[in-house]
Amino acid sequence: MLELDLQLESQMPAPSEAEFRQWCELALRQRTADSELTIRLVDEPEGRELNHTWRHKDYATNVLSFPADVPDELLDIPLLGDLVICVPVVEREAAEQGKALDAHWAHLVIHGCLHLLGYDHIDDDEAEEMEALERTLLAELGHPDPYADDETDSSPTDTTKDSE
């Protein structure tokens, strides 16, 4: 079972709680235990502040993942962590990259959840594993490969690989 705390701090339109739940459950289905996580939707000032504080990068990024860092033996709850998603960045990226907005939202939520599970993209092997899983999960939703243009275009507009 998934316990999802959705915090709406942005005034911009966003997907429904049911959509967030669907994307999280899909990304987390490999996890047999219950899961508890927070998704906080923010505007650029908060997104920039958090990215600067935690990653020392002075801009708002699309999604930040904050895995819970609590030893299992000390806490008997299924806390995975928090995702912070910057709504204006998601909308801008989707438009700039010619991606359907719902597909980009699904990708970023799945990407963030995989980070909470310990997946990463620091080295090429880890990136290939994570991206392959993202492609598979998004295909199940009927969405195209979010990295298709990355292989032919080295444009820096896609910050998904920069997400944490």
Side-chain angles (χ1 to χ4, degrees):
M1 185 176 130
L2 172 66
E3 177 145 349
L4 177 62
D5 177 18
L6 184 59
Q7 299 177 357
L8 306 173
E9 298 302 321
S10 174
Q11 300 304 310
M12 296 182 71
S16 69
E17 184 171 346
E19 290 170 302
F20 282 109
R21 181 171 298 283
Q22 176 190 19
W23 301 328
C24 290
E25 288 176 348
L26 183 62
L28 301 174
R29 73 176 174 205
Q30 63 183 288
R31 181 179 158 92
T32 57
D34 289 343
S35 299
E36 182 178 321
L37 69 101
T38 297
I39 297 177
R40 182 176 176 87
L41 304 180
V42 301
D43 288 324
E44 289 192 65
E46 185 174 347
R48 181 179 183 168
E49 179 183 336
L50 288 168
N51 201 28
H52 183 264
T53 299
W54 295 102
R55 298 180 62 228
H56 311 290
K57 299 188 180 202
D58 196 23
Y59 57 87
T61 190
N62 49 25
V63 59
L64 292 166
S65 300
F66 297 96
D69 190 20
V70 180
D72 290 337
E73 63 272 7
L74 295 180
L75 190 59
D76 191 26
I77 61 172
L79 185 62
L80 278 178
D82 303 333
L83 299 180
V84 177
I85 302 175
C86 188
V87 179
V89 172
V90 174
E91 289 197 5
R92 184 172 53 248
E93 286 177 348
E96 288 172 352
Q97 297 167 25
K99 295 178 179 176
L101 186 57
D102 64 327
H104 196 49
W105 271 107
H107 178 216
L108 294 176
V109 171
I110 288 169
H111 183 90
C113 285
L114 292 177
H115 275 305
L116 295 180
L117 291 175
Y119 287 87
D120 216 328
H121 44 78
I122 293 172
D123 69 42
D124 288 345
D125 290 340
E126 289 177 343
E128 287 179 27
E129 179 184 7
M130 187 173 180
E131 290 172 14
L133 183 52
E134 288 172 305
R135 286 179 176 106
T136 299
L137 296 175
L138 288 164
E140 287 184 38
L141 294 170
H143 296 309
D145 178 352
Y147 297 108
D149 292 337
D150 288 358
E151 294 163 7
T152 58
D153 178 13
S154 60
S155 170
T157 58
D158 187 344
T159 60
T160 305
K161 289 184 180 179
D162 185 45
S163 304
E164 291 303 320

